[in-house]
Amino acid sequence: MIPVNEPLLGEKELLYVTECLKTGWISSAGKFIEEFEQRWADYCGMKYGIAVSNGTVALQVAVKCLDLEPGDEVIMPTFTIISCALAVVYNGGKPVLVDAEPRTWTIDVDKIEGKITERTKAIMPVHIYGHTCNMEPIQELARKYNLVIIEDAAEAHGAEYKGKKCGSLGDISCFSFYANKIITTGEGGMLLTNNEEYAEKARSLRNLCFKKERRFYHTELGHNFRLTNLQAAIGLAQLERIEQLVEKKRWIGKTYTERLTGIPGLSLPVEESWAKNVYWMYGIVLDESVSMNATEFAKCLRGKGIDTRPFFLGMHEQPVLQKLGLLKGEHYPVAERIAKQGLYLPSGLTLTEKGIDIVIRAVKEII
Ligand SMILES: Cc1ncc(COP(=O)(O)O)c(C=O)c1O
């Protein structure tokens, strides 16, 4: 079986983790955490990094920094992971959805302004599968309507918009370091910001809102969303070779594109002139001319020993959100079509040229 993803772990990861074990710094204190936070912030071009247990809670903490009033609205793409909607719902807010743009599958920036109301407090652009959103129009809207930008860069380590790194394009950005991400800590996440107030708040929220002046005295509701030194040790080792990891992803993406271009019935990932795509996962969308949907296509690939994953199902199609009385009767044609017709191919950092050959041959045979 060619897996859809496999983390690439090496000697450095082992060395740093061994240091944690030998010195006993295995919990959420220890030198690797601060070093990982600062080095990741520096890499992305931001001032503060706040490491947390995963990307989902990074988003939750980011939204909590905004102090939403019940019913305040946050605009986001429908084509994303449920973590984005949960972050808003858990903070008493309302997710307001925008359809995907058909080429990059990111939020359709032309449809955002029509969704802004006097309750809108933030926009949450999500860089999809390693391709950035078109950020300038979003930044302009944020300035015009005084909105905060919470950037979900969970899938976009090292990706760029007009030469600037994803994670440096909003007020707060959020990353995931889950095992399928370009940089992994097993489970893990981080918030980045240049805003000292947000940084302090996020640090406090991830650690039970302990007060500096008096231990075990609390004036706010906090969480234990801490990352461990063990996880940060893995992350730091990964970060030390990020350029190599990003290059490998781009090689995988470009090799797939070269070899799949011209096969009828497939839409492939793009790289817009303003973007550096890191091809976190290599997605394909089947045209209606192909006589099967993505689920059937995935089944055929599985029969040939190739693992895939389906595309996101839009937030408006999630029963759990509809049960809360949210998003009922909404339709977003682009997101609905790509959810049905899209899947991603093996894209892990351990994928070889031979592996790509096998995948391409299988795709051609099925088509
Ligand atoms: C776009 C996006 N945001 C947020 C997350 C949540 O990250 P985590 O799995 O670390 O909670 C993911 C996870 O894959 C993601 O793809």
Side-chain angles (χ1 to χ4, degrees), residues 137-210:
I138 297 174
Q139 290 161 339
E140 269 165 37
L141 288 173
R143 269 193 299 275
K144 183 168 167 193
Y145 294 96
N146 194 25
L147 307 175
V148 174
I149 297 177
I150 296 178
E151 204 190 332
D152 183 344
E155 305 180 349
H157 308 67
E160 290 176 15
Y161 176 77
K162 296 194 174 175
K164 283 191 79 188
K165 288 265 169 5
C166 284
S168 70
L169 305 164
D171 300 283
I172 312 178
S173 61
C174 296
F175 285 90
S176 163
F177 302 118
Y178 183 65
N180 64 8
K181 298 303 186 297
I182 297 179
I183 290 282
T184 184
T185 58
E187 292 280 356
M190 203 181 300
L191 295 93
L192 299 182
T193 183
N194 286 332
N195 181 314
E196 195 178 349
E197 210 177 299
Y198 289 152
E200 255 185 45
K201 205 159 170 185
R203 256 185 225 118
S204 175
L205 285 166
R206 80 164 166 196
N207 191 23
L208 300 173
C209 291
F210 281 114

Side-chain angles (χ1 to χ4, degrees), residues 39 108 120:
R39 297 265 295 268
D108 187 336
T120 309

Side-chain angles (χ1 to χ4, degrees), residues 20-173:
C20 298
L21 297 176
K22 282 187 175 162
T23 56
W25 292 100
I26 58 170
S27 199
S28 59
K31 69 171 194 182
F32 287 117
I33 297 174
E34 274 181 24
E35 199 171 342
F36 182 45
E37 287 176 332
Q38 199 50 59
R39 297 265 295 268
W40 185 248
D42 290 347
Y43 173 76
C44 295
M46 294 293 269
K47 207 161 170 189
Y48 306 106
I50 302 96
V52 290
S53 348
N54 54 64
T56 301
V57 301
L59 288 164
Q60 194 180 327
V61 167
V63 175
K64 200 156 181 178
C65 285
L66 309 189
D67 289 323
L68 296 186
E69 298 287 340
D72 278 349
E73 298 171 0
V74 177
I75 294 177
M76 65 179 66
T78 188
F79 188 72
T80 185
I81 194 163
I82 197 155
S83 312
C84 302
L86 293 181
V88 174
V89 170
Y90 286 152
N91 283 294
K94 187 171 167 238
V96 171
L97 304 181
V98 172
D99 204 356
E101 180 279 307
R103 277 173 57 81
T104 62
W105 312 320
T106 58
I107 190 165
D108 187 336
V109 293
D110 294 334
K111 297 190 176 136
I112 296 177
E113 193 163 16
K115 294 287 180 126
I116 295 174
T117 71
E118 70 277 8
R119 302 302 308 265
T120 309
K121 292 291 178 298
I123 308 176
M124 186 185 281
V126 184
H127 309 304
I128 296 288
Y129 304 148
H131 194 289
T132 73
C133 303
N134 187 7
M135 288 302 295
E136 256 169 25
I138 297 174
Q139 290 161 339
E140 269 165 37
L141 288 173
R143 269 193 299 275
K144 183 168 167 193
Y145 294 96
N146 194 25
L147 307 175
V148 174
I149 297 177
I150 296 178
E151 204 190 332
D152 183 344
E155 305 180 349
H157 308 67
E160 290 176 15
Y161 176 77
K162 296 194 174 175
K164 283 191 79 188
K165 288 265 169 5
C166 284
S168 70
L169 305 164
D171 300 283
I172 312 178
S173 61

